[in-house]
Amino acid sequence: LEMLARGNDTIIAYTPPETAGEKSLYLDHNYQGALTDICPVGALLNESTRFESRVWWYESKESYCHGCSTLCKVYANVKNNTLYRYTPPTPPPPAGSVGSKDFICDYGRFGGKDFSLNRLAHYTLNGERATSKTALPVLAEKINAAKNILVIGGATEACADIDAIAAQVKTWQDTGKKITWDFRSDKPAFAATPENAQWDFLLSRDLRPNAKYLRDLGKTACASFEALAQSIQAADLVIILGELAAPFAYQTGKIHAHVAGLTIPTTVEECDLFAAVNSAAAWGKTALFTTHDNTATALAAVSVPIAAFSEISGRYIDKAGIAKNTTAVLKPVQGLQSSGQVFARLAATPALAAAEVLV
């Protein structure tokens, strides 16, 4: 921040970063939102929530940022069961804690609002509205018939849900099915290595909150994104867990993060995974466990609505291996369940349960 002009004409402004020796007209770093936190007189405002609510109308709830495996401590500002924004913790976390002690990055800050937009609250079959009573038996039959199943994603889910899904996947393997599971769903995720683990000092290259948990479980079956795309074509059934949904796969809204080297999709059609699945044959064998209603929901053979990160109380493992216990800051639509709960219902459907017993 800097002071411009003098006396009564003084205004608070920001100091633009220099690019090639010249000052840029726009901020182009991943911490623009932090300026609104530290502005001493409130002259700088967050445009993504400006004038939408008085700050004292928010219900402020402790939570963790969903944006990556750093899992920074935040406060979620909620009004009328809608998540408006994340703000840094006040007072800051103690020294030595994992994550930022003073800031949150724009990638997580500006994506939080997407949880409350365009939510999916019903099942679909080939794009047509359905119910769990009709959709789950169809999915169970597809699982029963498939010999080669590809599972993509899961790092958006809590540990308990991952464990429930993994247990069910194990029963499929025990019946002789080939199961391939890779939690990485875009090209940058395959570039994340211990030597190249961060986009900046705070933002992890694992852009899913529970990526480390699945990485440690060995759910990295594909050598590259191209190999993942080939597996999509070869599989009899593709199950996508928590991907192709905002704010993880893409981010909407007025303001987006500026992260050097990272292109952030703003629609589902811009996602790497969408392009890899985007054929009639692939969509016809895809079961999408998702939180948001979009083009992918309409194209998938089966779409299953699940609770979002902000609606779940659960355990996540951050990039340093430390367990973070989240609490739900939003109330899900009545009847909406987590991915693990849906898998438990799926396992109990007659078509799948009978097939496993017979084998």
Side-chain angles (χ1 to χ4, degrees):
L1 296 177
E2 62 181 342
M3 309 286 285
L4 301 181
R6 296 181 178 180
N8 292 336
D9 295 326
T10 299
I11 61 174
I12 303 293
Y14 66 86
T15 303
E18 292 189 6
T19 304
E22 297 183 359
K23 287 190 174 181
S24 168
L25 296 177
Y26 303 99
L27 295 176
D28 59 359
H29 57 71
N30 191 28
Y31 295 87
Q32 299 176 45
L35 292 175
T36 66
D37 298 331
I38 65 174
C39 182
V41 296
L44 300 181
L45 302 175
N46 183 342
E47 187 177 355
S48 68
T49 54
R50 185 177 58 172
F51 308 135
E52 292 188 2
S53 177
R54 301 292 186 184
V55 294
W56 51 84
W57 291 344
Y58 291 131
E59 183 180 358
S60 189
K61 302 181 180 182
E62 289 189 8
S63 184
Y64 289 96
C65 175
H66 67 277
C68 73
S69 61
T70 302
L71 284 168
C72 291
K73 186 80 171 181
V74 296
Y75 279 98
N77 289 168
V78 177
K79 186 181 75 171
N80 297 330
N81 202 39
T82 298
L83 177 59
Y84 278 78
R85 64 180 187 175
Y86 286 148
T87 58
T90 305
S97 60
V98 176
S100 171
K101 296 189 289 294
D102 304 294
F103 301 108
I104 55 175
C105 75
D106 291 348
Y107 185 84
R109 181 194 295 263
F110 295 136
K113 199 173 181 182
D114 285 338
F115 281 120
S116 297
L117 304 175
N118 303 319
R119 291 301 304 279
L120 179 67
H122 60 270
Y123 289 74
T124 69
L125 286 173
N126 299 314
E128 299 294 328
R129 192 182 184 109
T131 66
S132 60
K133 292 182 179 179
T134 56
L136 289 182
V138 170
L139 179 53
E141 290 285 1
K142 290 181 178 294
I143 295 170
N144 186 24
K147 296 181 179 178
N148 182 0
I149 299 176
L150 172 65
V151 181
I152 302 174
T156 60
E157 312 305 298
C159 293
D161 291 306
I162 293 173
D163 292 343
I165 294 168
Q168 183 59 29
V169 167
K170 178 64 165 56
T171 66
W172 302 344
Q173 288 178 314
D174 291 343
T175 63
K177 298 181 187 297
K178 177 185 176 183
I179 309 295
T180 304
W181 187 344
D182 202 310
F183 77 87
R184 299 165 295 182
S185 62
D186 55 30
K187 295 177 182 178
F190 283 86
T193 65
E195 297 77 23
N196 188 28
Q198 298 288 127
W199 285 109
D200 58 30
F201 80 98
L202 188 58
L203 183 65
S204 168
R205 282 185 181 264
D206 277 333
L207 296 176
R208 304 293 186 269
N210 223 359
K212 179 173 175 55
Y213 190 65
L214 277 171
R215 190 180 292 278
D216 289 346
L217 289 177
K219 306 306 182 183
T220 52
C222 299
S224 64
F225 185 81
E226 290 69 27
L228 179 69
Q230 293 173 2
S231 296
I232 291 172
Q233 303 306 316
D236 301 322
L237 177 65
V238 179
I239 298 176
I240 301 177
L241 302 171
E243 301 294 337
L244 295 181
F248 299 108
Y250 60 93
Q251 296 189 356
T252 61
K254 301 175 184 178
I255 305 176
H256 303 96
H258 291 265
V259 183
L262 175 63
T263 299
I264 303 171
T266 57
T267 66
V268 69
E269 290 86 352
E270 296 175 12
C271 300
D272 295 333
L273 182 58
F274 185 93
V277 184
N278 196 22
S279 69
W283 286 120
K285 59 183 180 183
T286 296
L288 187 64
F289 286 71
T290 188
T291 56
H292 287 74
D293 195 1
N294 54 33
T295 304
T297 307
L299 291 172
V302 182
S303 293
V304 178
I306 56 174
F309 176 89
S310 53
E311 297 166 338
I312 293 174
S313 296
R315 183 171 65 95
Y316 294 77
I317 306 300
D318 72 12
K319 65 184 181 184
I322 298 173
K324 302 287 185 65
N325 295 309
T326 66
T327 56
V329 300
L330 298 178
K331 295 179 180 179
V333 172
Q334 186 174 2
L336 194 64
Q337 296 180 306
S338 70
S339 56
Q341 291 172 322
V342 174
F343 263 73
R345 290 182 62 188
L346 183 63
T349 57
L352 189 56
E356 292 175 355
V357 170
L358 288 174
V359 174

